[in-house]
């Protein structure tokens, strides 16, 4: 891990995969086929890509019951406790409809309504994370979404991972389909004979899933397209090098394109973390992945003071930020861009991945500049409410008509005047 | 305007323009050119499309002062009053950062932070609406965005409409560029020598602007891609036919692709509105546009009762909904999908376009199923806050490590255990 003195703009080597022209064409063809042929196309693509011919896509209750037998009781309890924490945090994001009343009788407000339906994509293979099921489903549940559909590509024996099924059941999903890839996204967006379409699709996936989500966006809503995971640790001399190194590696093991960065004011810590990373890396099961990630996208930035360090963090706009400094809370107000902020040495990033409660679906790739963690609001929409009173239209009607005429919209002016002329 | 009895699903003829392959290629080339050549490319495209060669893009203060002379004092006052109403409504959308504390010392929360910068696109020509400036800029201002940039294509004499400049000044915009089209979107997204990039681009535009926004999405945030305007009026026998007809026409005059629909339980009202629309249409300045819109996308749906009528409205998911029934407020809870809901006969839709306060940037094309009006939240983002206490990690650390191992992420488990082993 290189140690680099901060000077001016910190240019970050980012890695965005927006797909090749071939991949985009392939995804467009899959979506067109599913729209044209429905279940038959989904079945054919599932056979082609997942190497299993399914007679029916939907997961049966017996499969969920079977899954419980394959997960230890203790682990089931941990998943339940995590689900409760996630539920409890997300409930606090709930915001009621509101209104204001004016003396003249006018009422203005905002109505909050859950989406009718949501679809959650859960990747297959080694990226099939039960925690990801909880993090996507629970906000939708808290939001009040009545129909939540989960899709995930089956293994070649036609099954989904036990942990994923258990997590889905604990989160309260009652409709699960064993389909994946662009064909699953297309089925969720446009519906097939056996799968009704949904209003929004969330959840991570490979490049084909990401491209398919981008393609259907507008016909249905999607969450942000996720990039590789990122962590920045902002630390001074009070931080423990072994803890910082372990947290950096916990991101690095996700993906060779993950980015782990330390920003510190302490040359001593910089060097200590450098050797700790090397030492801990050498004994990690996923050391190939983590090693390449650290090599290609890892860095230790040495800043001259905390202000400069904070500025580096804001330029990075990291998905995860840990602040491990003497007065960590004092820096919170200065952090403008970060998906999740972990404060103090006990707030190790995995605490947030699984258990504490806040969502682990976070803006990556610098999009924390303008995006937020997945939340209850992502599964609700608002409607403005306008109850204009007779008194109000009497008082303001002529002005509204004048404004409409300034914009050349005569019918707008006349609509208001149709009322005015009756007074 | 046809009268149609509701039976089963109401299938709506929608009109989405997602552009031709040629248009998409043109937009991609413009964006690539602006990224490669900056100001020079923007200047060349402005000369090509707007037929004016500009030595500098930025609007000078003297041009704003000049604009004030071209707008009547009375109109300036109306714009000011509208701006105050819009400000006042949007302030109520503000939501503070929050936190919860637990007995063991853990703090969880959510920090709300404004975007650093936002760019507002204002269309040129006859679609240059001062109200659109207010509706896009004021939420960003209320959100706390420090740098707000406005762009709008100049007329061939190198000027912007006076009303637009006055509205921008009243809304508090200090940085305005006379550029439009895909080249303006590219300049806002990626920056040029003279224009710094922004974090989010909002505002309506033609198909090239819409395609460009879709293209840069991800590198910067965008608002929804706007489709043609829509209104649905839900009315019973208490509604006045002339008022309903006038409101339907106020949408129809926007665009030949606009959609104006009446859903009513009253055959008498249906017929009366039908003849009122014909009569009022014949004397409208924009009768060509409104006439085609009514012909192609207008309809009167006759429902057997209010429940059925409400169901039709929810299927339509209209941008604007007016409820003009005996007990209009009583129906509010049943409306699941609508961008803005106008209640009672005095809440004519233009009241919301200009003056009442709620935003007129609303989800079109059925996207009210999952989208919301433009709001203060669109110009802020959230960061999760996790301050995990020593006691909390002592109590829950082993469970978190277990969850990580279930997902095969050993470095995640070790990060937590690095703390645990020191207790």
């Amino acid at each position: 891990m290189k140690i680099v003195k901060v000077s001016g703009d910190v240019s970050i080597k980012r890695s965005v995969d927006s797909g090749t022209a071939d991949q985009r064409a392939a995804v467009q063809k899959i979506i067109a086929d599913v729209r044209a042929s429905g279940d038959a196309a989904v079945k054919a693509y599932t056979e082609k890509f997942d190497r299993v011919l399914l007679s029916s896509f939907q997961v049966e209750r017996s499969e969920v019951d079977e899954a419980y037998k394959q997960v230890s009781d203790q682990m089931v309890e941990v998943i339940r406790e995590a689900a409760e924490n996630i539920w409890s945090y997300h409930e606090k994001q709930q915001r009621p409809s509101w209104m204001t009343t004016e003396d003249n009788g006018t009422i203005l407000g905002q109505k909050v309504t859950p989406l009718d339906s949501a679809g959650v994509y859960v990747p297959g293979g080694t990226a099939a994370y039960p925690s990801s099921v909880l993090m996507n489903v629970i906000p939708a549940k808290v939001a009040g979404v009545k129909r939540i559909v989960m899709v995930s590509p089956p293994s070649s024996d036609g099954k989904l991972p036990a942990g994923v099924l258990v997590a889905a059941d604990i989160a309260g999903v009652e409709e699960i389909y064993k389909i994946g890839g662009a064909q699953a996204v297309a089925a969720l967006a446009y519906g097939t004979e056996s799968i009704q379409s949904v209003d929004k699709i969330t959840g991570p996936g490979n490049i084909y899933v990401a491209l398919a989500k981008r393609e259907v966006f507008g016909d249905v809503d999607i969450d942000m397209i996720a990039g590789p995971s990122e962590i920045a640790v902002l630390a001074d001399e009070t931080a423990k090098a072994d803890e910082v190194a372990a947290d950096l590696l916990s991101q690095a093991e996700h993906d060779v394109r993950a980015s782990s960065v330390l920003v510190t004011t302490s040359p001593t810590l910089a060097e200590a973390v450098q050797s700790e990373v090397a030492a801990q890396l050498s004994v990690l099961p996923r050391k190939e992945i983590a090693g390449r990630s650290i090599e290609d996208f890892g860095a230790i930035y040495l800043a001259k003071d905390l202000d400069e360090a904070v500025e580096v963090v804001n330029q990075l706009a990291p998905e995860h930020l840990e602040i491990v400094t003497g007065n960590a809370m004092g820096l919170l107000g200065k952090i403008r861009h970060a998906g999740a902020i972990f404060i103090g040495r006990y707030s190790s990033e995995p605490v947030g991945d699984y258990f504490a409660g806040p969502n682990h679906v976070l803006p990556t790739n610098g999009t924390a500049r303008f995006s937020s963690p997945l939340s209850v609001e992502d599964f609700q929409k608002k409607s403005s409410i306008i109850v204009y009173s007779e008194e109000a239209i009497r008082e303001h009607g002529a002005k509204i008509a004048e404004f409409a005429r300034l914009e050349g919209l005569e019918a707008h002016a006349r609509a208001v005047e149709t009322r005015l002329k009756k007074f």
Side-chain angles (χ1 to χ4, degrees), chain A residues 87-107:
Chain A
W87 188 282
S88 160
Y89 178 84
H90 286 81
E91 265 192 331
K92 292 171 190 113
Q93 293 177 331
Q94 278 276 39
R95 198 183 179 189
S97 300
W98 56 263
M99 63 169 189
T100 60
T101 59
E102 292 168 30
D103 290 349
N104 68 15
T106 289
I107 298 175

Side-chain angles (χ1 to χ4, degrees), chain A residues 243-304:
Chain A
E243 298 172 3
V244 172
D247 290 1
L248 292 173
L249 287 169
S250 78
Q251 282 310 294
E253 77 169 337
H254 270 297
D255 187 339
V256 292
R257 298 176 306 145
S259 154
S260 304
V261 169
L262 167 63
V263 186
T264 183
T265 49
S266 161
T268 316
L269 183 75
E271 281 171 29
V273 169
Q274 191 177 41
S275 28
E276 271 291 338
V277 165
Q280 295 184 22
L281 181 59
S282 67
V283 293
L284 262 192
R286 292 163 73 96
K287 64 183 165 196
E288 302 298 328
I289 293 172
R292 274 192 56 196
S293 155
I294 292 285
E295 178 69 24
D296 291 347
F297 300 103
I300 298 175
Y301 292 106
L302 201 52
K304 65 172 191 290

